[in-house]
Amino acid sequence: MKINWRKWNRVIHRDLGYFFFGVTLIYAISGIAINHNEIWNPNYIIKGKDISVKPVAKENISRDYLDSLITAHGERGLKGFYFPKAGLVKAFFKEGQIVIDYSTGEARIESIRKRPFFNQINFLHYDPGRWWTYFSDIYAISLALMAITGLFIVRGKNGLLWRGLILALAGLTIPIIFLLFFR
């Protein structure tokens, strides 16, 4: 009995592609987002604004004072505070922080919120645990299988004998050039 290798090659390529469709999109989108984190924070939305408060003596700064201050600016959940250097108090609340120059009343309040969608998919991209590592390893092996089986799907001049070979070699050349000249 003769085994039809081309048929099995297409079946493996197709089924792995369907099965890993979702995780491929997740890694692609989060990979692009993470690649550009010098432009934006892909995990969090950070908004800051400068505000003015009434100057106050250090001994009058308390939890109640800071809690009422952040509440007045639409924030909540004071977690704690400390004095990083003379004249400054830094307080942390549930979704941000405030730094106050208590002698001048100048302050900066920053709110930090999880960026919807990107925070979740980046969590998966950064490998959240042992079981995801196993799944990611299986996915990586499957990507290698899809790359190899993809080479043998098309026959003739558009396949691996001519056009496919040129494109495959060109695709291999790019990472080699980067490794040789930019590492």
Side-chain angles (χ1 to χ4, degrees):
M1 178 170 149
K2 186 177 175 187
I3 298 174
N4 187 344
W5 291 107
R6 285 207 174 271
K7 176 186 174 191
W8 282 106
N9 187 68
R10 283 191 313 274
V11 167
I12 290 168
H13 186 85
R14 179 197 65 212
D15 290 352
L16 287 175
Y18 284 144
F19 184 77
F20 288 109
F21 167 78
V23 75
T24 301
L25 283 180
I26 287 171
Y27 274 105
I29 294 167
S30 64
I32 291 168
I34 292 168
N35 281 347
H36 298 283
N37 61 7
E38 73 281 354
I39 298 169
W40 73 316
N41 185 328
N43 291 313
Y44 298 98
I45 299 168
I46 301 170
K47 292 181 182 176
K49 64 180 176 178
D50 294 320
I51 60 172
S52 292
V53 298
K54 208 177 213 181
V56 63
K58 182 178 179 179
E59 55 271 3
N60 292 334
I61 296 174
S62 65
R63 263 188 102 70
D64 291 337
Y65 166 77
L66 292 168
D67 196 38
S68 65
L69 188 64
I70 65 169
T71 302
H73 287 89
E75 302 296 343
R76 64 193 189 311
L78 181 68
K79 291 183 174 183
F81 66 96
Y82 74 104
F83 299 91
K85 62 182 184 179
L88 291 182
V89 61
K90 188 172 192 176
F92 301 94
F93 49 89
K94 187 174 181 181
E95 293 180 328
Q97 65 183 18
I98 186 169
V99 178
I100 306 165
D101 183 332
Y102 52 84
S103 61
T104 65
E106 294 176 7
R108 178 149 182 90
I109 189 165
E110 291 182 340
S111 64
I112 302 167
R113 308 255 189 303
K114 287 182 180 178
R115 190 175 296 279
F117 179 69
F118 285 100
N119 186 277
Q120 288 80 14
I121 65 172
N122 290 344
F123 173 75
L124 293 175
H125 200 117
Y126 287 131
D127 190 14
R130 186 178 73 215
W131 291 106
W132 187 257
T133 300
Y134 296 148
F135 178 76
S136 295
D137 289 345
I138 293 167
Y139 174 60
I141 292 166
S142 297
L143 281 178
L145 277 172
M146 288 193 307
I148 293 166
T149 57
L151 292 173
F152 301 104
I153 288 180
V154 178
R155 293 183 188 193
K157 68 176 184 170
N158 289 327
L160 194 57
L161 294 177
W162 181 240
R163 183 172 188 236
L165 179 63
I166 293 169
L167 289 172
L169 290 175
L172 278 172
T173 304
I174 294 169
I176 291 170
I177 289 171
F178 271 90
L179 286 173
L180 291 174
F181 296 106
F182 299 105
R183 186 162 189 234

